[in-house]
Amino acid sequence: MLKIEHLTKKYGDKTAVDDLSLHIAAGEIYGFIGPNGAGKTTTIKSACGIIGFDSGEIYVDGISIRENPIECKKKIAYIPDNPDLYDFLSGIKYLNFIADVYGVSKDERETLIKKYGDMFSITKDLAQPISAYSHGMKQKLALISALIHKPRLMILDEPFVGLDPKAAFTIKQLMRELCDDGGAIFFSTHVLEVAEKLCDKVAIIKDGKLIVSGTMEQVKGDESLESVFLELEEDYA
Amino acid sequence: MLKALIKVRFISLFKTMFTSSGKQKKYVKVLIALLMVYGFGSICVSVGIMFSSLAVPLSVSDLSWLYFAIAGIAGFCLAFIGSVFSAETQLFEAKDNELLLSMPFSATQILIARMTALMTLNVIFEVLMAVPAGVVYIMNVGIKPLGFILFILSLLSMSFLVMALSCLLGWLLAFILSKVKNRSFIMMFFYILIMAGYFKVYGSINKYIQAIISNGDTIAASIKKALPVFYYLGDASANGNILSFFKFLLICVIPFVLVVFVLSRSYISVMINKKARSHKAYKAGELKTSGAFSALLHKEIKFFLGRPMYIMNAGTGIIFMVVIAVGAVVKQDYFLTAIAGFGIPDTRFVYPYFVIGILTMCVSMVFISAPSISLEGKNLWIVKSIPVPSATVLKAKIASHIVICLPFIVVSSVIMAIFLRMRVDTLLLSFLLPLGVTVFCAVFGVFINLKFPKFDWINEVTVVKQSLSVMLTMLASLILIIMPLFVSSLIVINLFSGYLPPLLFAFFVYTLILSAVFYSVLMKKAEKRFFELQ
């Protein structure tokens, strides 16, 4: 579903991502872990077609993001680490805007907004302007906006930050459902316990370079993901 | 700590005109400098001309103090108008308010840091009025060295008074806005009120100058009685009276200290309460659907209409359009006198074209699209991640500018058509020429903003008011359209009277060609350049 091949991205002299290759297959929840400044957000933004890259290639469902970004974006839902949304719109108007942009039919958007709004307990707040939302509410709204156009691939940057326990549980369920339906999830996180329980595969990145990747069992073995991560951090310091 | 806060505020204030990357080519810096020199120069010259007719008569009448008092009043008014709305947005609406409140700064320190930046802008406004007035006086009459020093010191001190009053009004505005739902309406009401007053005074400036010359003594007595603060300023500057200067200084500083004291008490509560709104529960209903372009267009229009500051700074021209159209009907004599001022004999014949010219000038001062890319700010990721070509996003920005202006252009044309009984070709021109200029400004604004975007702003007002793309759009419409239109119209009137309609049609075609050229370059570069934005 998402194939990243030899991705390299530089900001001036600094190499943010260095020859990174990952393959996220359909049905997989893929965790992306690394310390601050490791290159996670840069990789994610490159994969979503938000920023360009210097070399390598990224394919979404077999389509090159460099050559056909629009077709790729139709299949992707992206949520950034900080949900800065249009605060001059109300929640419902923002969702309707996203539905318009992705060409979601009238009936489907009404059904899905109701469904996800109720699941995240935000339906009653949808008439409020986004400027009045808390961080968690914005995060919920961003998640709903990502789900209402039925993406094949969800790319999420720190999706659990600011969510209440119920919403965090709900999104984990929804992630699994999406993968069961043939979709894929690629997300970054610092919450290693969540990654350990939720992910089928995991990649650890440091200083733009891939340190290790594979199935959760391959990466952590009998240890916890946290101890493996800390050990690798030290080894590659 | 206060020093650090003030420093940050100044960096934010002056960085606004530069692009996000901070790396600008030399020619851009030269262009900015030239633009500023041109802007300041033209204002200074026109103010100087205005004051040149007052200097000698008032000096001869032994009313030199009145001259400086008038210069002070003019500087005060300009600075007050310039800062009253900025005060509301910069003091109470800045995006870093909550961050600063979480730091170990007192409300007074935050307030003073913000006020210092605003006061610097006030001094610039005051200088625009007072310096040409001072230069004209020195050239025509002469001034004592002490008087000159006191004049400069008075100007600096006056910014305290301007700040005190604009903060007070800004606070009142913020307080009212925190209680009402329709913020845009209230802001626009205040704005139109103040601008109407400004234009009323500006429109009658020659009448006032004549009145001052012929009734200097009476006016001097009135100012001395009603506005003693400006008498002290005038007396200190004209006669070098130190006592008057200290009186002036006290009158300026005491209100400022009081305002800082009072505002710092309620500063936090006003900032926090502004978010308290009544909670309206959502009731699921039918949702309207539209295409991607239409959704983007509505988003742009909604953003514009929801930001009074945006409307006031970027859209004033369209409001003036309607005011001018109405004025052209009810104040024909005033306009005819203005036309005669250009040495045009057949004023009646030229009248409708002159009004069309003014309407065109009004729309050339609309800059809705010029800051529109920068205003995406932290929301840029949304338009970059949606499956819509960048060209469509930019087209929506261009279209929103045109769609917002269109009703005003139509209303102005209709008013003129009904009341001025214009010929069909003239009527068509009253619609087409402003439309052509609107299309140009819309296209050029996006074109230039894509080249010079700025996303790391703290307050939207600085992007809309001071950014490079806005200044360059303003300059482009002036140099490429308004000035050639004005000059060629004067030539045609004087040499080939009767040929104005073909000239204006030619200009309409010219604006479309210009727009097409910039549009074509924009669309060619749109995908690549938009993709590079971050």
Side-chain angles (χ1 to χ4, degrees):
Chain A
M1 183 62 69
L2 174 65
K3 196 180 267 186
I4 300 172
E5 289 181 347
H6 306 291
L7 175 72
T8 298
K9 167 74 184 174
K10 291 178 182 174
Y11 292 108
D13 296 334
K14 187 182 177 344
T15 305
V17 182
D18 192 359
D19 196 32
L20 180 86
S21 295
L22 292 173
H23 180 205
I24 294 101
E28 281 179 356
I29 299 182
Y30 206 118
F32 197 36
I33 297 164
N36 294 329
K40 300 187 296 295
T41 298
T42 301
T43 307
I44 282 175
K45 283 185 175 175
S46 302
C48 296
I50 292 175
I51 56 171
F53 41 90
D54 297 291
S55 62
E57 195 49 90
I58 295 173
Y59 298 97
V60 176
D61 211 8
I63 304 166
S64 162
I65 193 123
R66 205 196 282 266
E67 284 166 17
N68 199 343
I70 302 297
E71 278 311 305
C72 290
K73 286 175 186 177
K74 282 180 186 168
K75 295 169 188 286
I76 300 174
Y78 164 65
I79 296 178
D81 51 351
N82 207 354
D84 290 305
L85 309 173
Y86 295 131
D87 62 5
F88 55 95
L89 296 179
S90 63
I92 187 65
K93 285 193 172 148
Y94 178 72
L95 294 177
N96 206 36
F97 166 78
I98 294 292
D100 279 340
V101 166
Y102 281 87
V104 182
S105 72
K106 184 173 171 291
D107 289 343
E108 195 163 32
R109 74 177 70 175
E110 284 172 1
T111 309
L112 292 176
I113 289 172
K114 173 86 176 70
K115 175 187 165 187
Y116 294 124
D118 289 347
M119 283 177 97
F120 285 107
S121 311
I122 200 176
T123 306
K124 67 176 171 39
D125 299 307
L126 287 178
Q128 294 297 108
I130 295 174
S131 57
Y133 280 20
S134 67
H135 183 278
M137 285 163 79
K138 283 183 189 170
Q139 187 73 349
K140 288 177 183 178
L141 193 70
L143 285 166
I144 298 171
S145 72
L147 291 161
I148 55 169
H149 56 87
K150 293 186 168 174
R152 297 267 295 141
L153 171 66
M154 277 185 89
I155 301 181
L156 317 167
D157 200 352
E158 295 286 348
F160 303 106
V161 174
L163 289 181
D164 56 51
K166 185 176 173 256
F169 177 75
T170 305
I171 188 62
K172 281 184 259 179
Q173 271 188 320
L174 289 169
M175 285 161 87
R176 180 50 67 197
E177 278 174 25
L178 190 137
C179 289
D180 291 345
D181 289 344
I185 309 275
F186 180 50
F187 76 102
S188 72
T189 185
H190 289 297
V191 191
L192 300 183
E193 293 84 355
V194 171
E196 192 171 346
K197 284 182 188 164
L198 190 64
C199 297
D200 304 307
K201 284 186 179 171
V202 68
I204 298 177
I205 180 176
K206 187 163 193 262
D207 296 331
K209 286 185 178 150
L210 185 69
I211 299 176
V212 66
S213 68
T215 63
M216 191 57 77
E217 288 70 31
Q218 284 170 338
V219 172
K220 75 180 183 73
D222 294 332
E223 295 180 70
S224 70
L225 185 60
E226 187 179 37
S227 55
V228 171
F229 178 76
L230 293 174
E231 275 170 31
L232 287 168
E233 264 257 89
E234 254 178 42
D235 292 346
Y236 287 84
Chain B
M1 285 214 297
L2 181 63
K3 200 175 148 192
L5 254 187
I6 292 173
K7 193 178 165 191
V8 168
R9 192 60 37 207
F10 272 88
I11 291 170
S12 155
L13 189 71
F14 292 108
K15 268 188 81 179
T16 319
M17 56 185 64
F18 298 97
T19 54
S20 288
S21 64
K23 291 173 189 168
Q24 271 176 347
K25 289 176 183 165
K26 201 174 173 186
Y27 80 90
V28 175
K29 288 180 182 169
V30 172
L31 199 63
I32 295 172
L34 285 175
L35 194 59
M36 284 183 163
V37 169
Y38 170 76
F40 276 77
S42 53
I43 294 172
C44 285
V45 167
S46 58
V47 171
I49 291 167
M50 191 175 82
F51 275 97
S52 62
S53 52
L54 279 177
V56 176
L58 289 180
S59 168
V60 170
S61 313
D62 203 20
L63 287 171
S64 293
W65 72 263
L66 183 59
Y67 179 86
F68 287 98
I70 291 166
I73 292 170
F76 176 88
C77 291
L78 194 67
F80 181 73
I81 291 169
S83 67
V84 66
F85 291 101
S86 303
E88 197 276 324
T89 46
Q90 301 247 8
L91 295 180
F92 302 103
E93 304 272 324
K95 281 194 187 298
D96 60 348
N97 272 345
E98 286 171 14
L99 177 71
L100 293 181
L101 284 174
S102 72
M103 291 178 174
F105 292 117
S106 66
T108 312
Q109 284 175 316
I110 299 172
L111 195 61
I112 287 176
R114 296 207 192 289
M115 282 178 159
T116 310
L118 282 170
M119 278 169 68
T120 309
L121 289 178
N122 284 346
V123 170
I124 294 170
F125 281 123
E126 288 164 23
V127 160
L128 277 174
M129 278 287 167
V131 166
V135 169
V136 163
Y137 194 81
I138 291 167
M139 283 166 62
N140 289 290
V141 183
I143 189 171
K144 292 173 187 167
L146 181 62
F148 178 75
I149 294 166
L150 292 181
F151 182 54
I152 300 293
L153 290 176
S154 300
L155 283 184
L156 297 174
S157 316
M158 196 163 72
S159 61
F160 285 103
L161 186 64
V162 175
M163 200 65 247
L165 293 179
S166 52
C167 277
L168 211 58
L169 198 62
W171 173 82
L172 189 70
L173 210 56
F175 183 76
I176 294 170
L177 293 175
S178 71
K179 305 283 174 198
V180 298
K181 200 180 161 192
N182 203 337
R183 292 168 53 85
S184 301
F185 178 77
I186 300 286
M187 283 287 272
M188 282 310 294
F189 177 75
F190 270 97
Y191 181 68
I192 289 171
L193 211 64
I194 286 178
M195 290 313 282
Y198 172 77
F199 279 101
K200 169 90 181 113
V201 172
Y202 188 77
S204 313
I205 199 81
N206 287 328
K207 207 166 73 185
Y208 294 143
I209 288 173
Q210 284 310 314
I212 290 166
I213 293 168
S214 51
N215 302 309
D217 287 328
T218 321
I219 289 169
S222 307
I223 288 181
K224 207 168 176 179
K225 195 178 166 192
L227 298 166
V229 58
F230 291 107
Y231 165 71
Y232 296 134
L233 182 151
D235 191 34
S237 309
N239 306 319
N241 188 333
I242 295 178
L243 187 65
S244 286
F245 169 71
F246 278 110
K247 284 180 184 169
F248 177 76
L249 185 66
L250 282 177
I251 295 175
C252 290
V253 173
I254 290 173
F256 178 78
V257 173
L258 285 175
V259 163
V260 171
F261 178 77
V262 172
L263 280 191
S264 58
R265 309 276 121 185
S266 58
Y267 192 50
I268 294 174
S269 71
V270 170
M271 277 195 285
I272 294 169
N273 286 342
K274 73 186 171 67
K275 285 189 176 170
R277 292 187 179 116
S278 61
H279 189 281
K280 190 173 73 178
Y282 170 68
K283 283 179 192 161
E286 286 208 353
L287 294 171
K288 283 182 189 164
T289 59
S290 63
F293 175 78
S294 177
L296 286 162
L297 175 63
H298 279 103
K299 180 216 97 178
E300 293 293 332
I301 294 172
K302 181 118 180 111
F303 181 82
F304 176 76
L305 297 178
R307 295 287 199 278
M309 159 292 299
Y310 195 4
I311 301 173
M312 288 182 302
N313 288 292
T316 310
I318 46 178
I319 299 162
F320 287 162
M321 262 194 101
V322 179
V323 174
I324 295 282
V326 173
V329 173
V330 297
K331 286 258 183 189
Q332 281 200 33
D333 291 343
Y334 175 78
F335 280 82
L336 288 168
T337 314
I339 299 170
F342 289 103
I344 297 165
D346 192 356
T347 51
R348 288 274 165 202
F349 168 72
V350 173
Y351 188 62
Y353 305 111
F354 180 78
V355 178
I356 291 170
I358 305 244
L359 295 180
T360 307
M361 211 161 82
C362 287
V363 286
S364 78
M365 292 188 296
V366 178
F367 311 108
I368 297 168
S369 69
S372 62
I373 297 173
S374 299
L375 285 168
E376 289 287 343
K378 288 181 176 170
N379 297 137
L380 185 67
W381 71 271
I382 299 175
V383 280
K384 289 192 81 178
S385 64
I386 55 177
V388 172
S390 307
T392 309
V393 175
L394 300 180
K395 280 177 197 167
K397 289 184 185 296
I398 294 171
S400 70
H401 182 126
I402 298 167
V403 168
I404 290 164
C405 292
L406 203 57
F408 293 89
I409 297 173
V410 171
V411 167
S412 308
S413 295
V414 168
I415 289 172
M416 290 173 65
I418 294 172
F419 295 102
L420 295 183
R421 291 178 199 153
M422 293 188 299
R423 287 178 1 204
V424 176
D425 59 344
T426 317
L427 174 63
L428 209 56
L429 276 170
S430 73
F431 173 76
L432 290 180
L433 198 55
L435 181 67
V437 175
T438 299
V439 172
F440 170 77
C441 287
V443 172
F444 190 83
V446 172
F447 171 85
I448 209 74
N449 199 201
L450 189 63
K451 194 157 179 56
F452 302 110
K454 167 122 187 105
F455 299 111
D456 51 352
W457 41 264
I458 293 173
N459 197 313
E460 289 164 352
V461 72
T462 50
V463 182
V464 177
K465 278 180 103 164
Q466 298 156 12
S467 65
L468 181 62
S469 53
V470 171
M471 282 196 277
L472 289 177
T473 309
M474 201 187 304
L475 187 70
S477 63
L478 186 71
I479 291 177
L480 295 176
I481 297 174
I482 300 303
M483 278 166 63
L485 176 67
F486 183 74
V487 172
S488 57
S489 296
L490 275 183
I491 293 169
V492 166
I493 289 166
N494 285 308
L495 297 180
F496 318 97
S497 52
Y499 279 84
L500 264 179
L503 175 82
L504 299 185
F505 270 115
F507 255 92
F508 166 64
V509 176
Y510 166 67
T511 57
L512 291 189
I513 292 170
L514 268 183
S515 308
V517 170
F518 282 109
Y519 183 80
S520 135
V521 178
L522 175 70
M523 288 303 131
K524 261 184 208 162
K525 294 187 173 175
E527 290 299 330
K528 185 176 177 288
R529 187 74 189 103
F530 197 76
F531 186 57
E532 287 167 358
L533 297 179
Q534 49 187 307

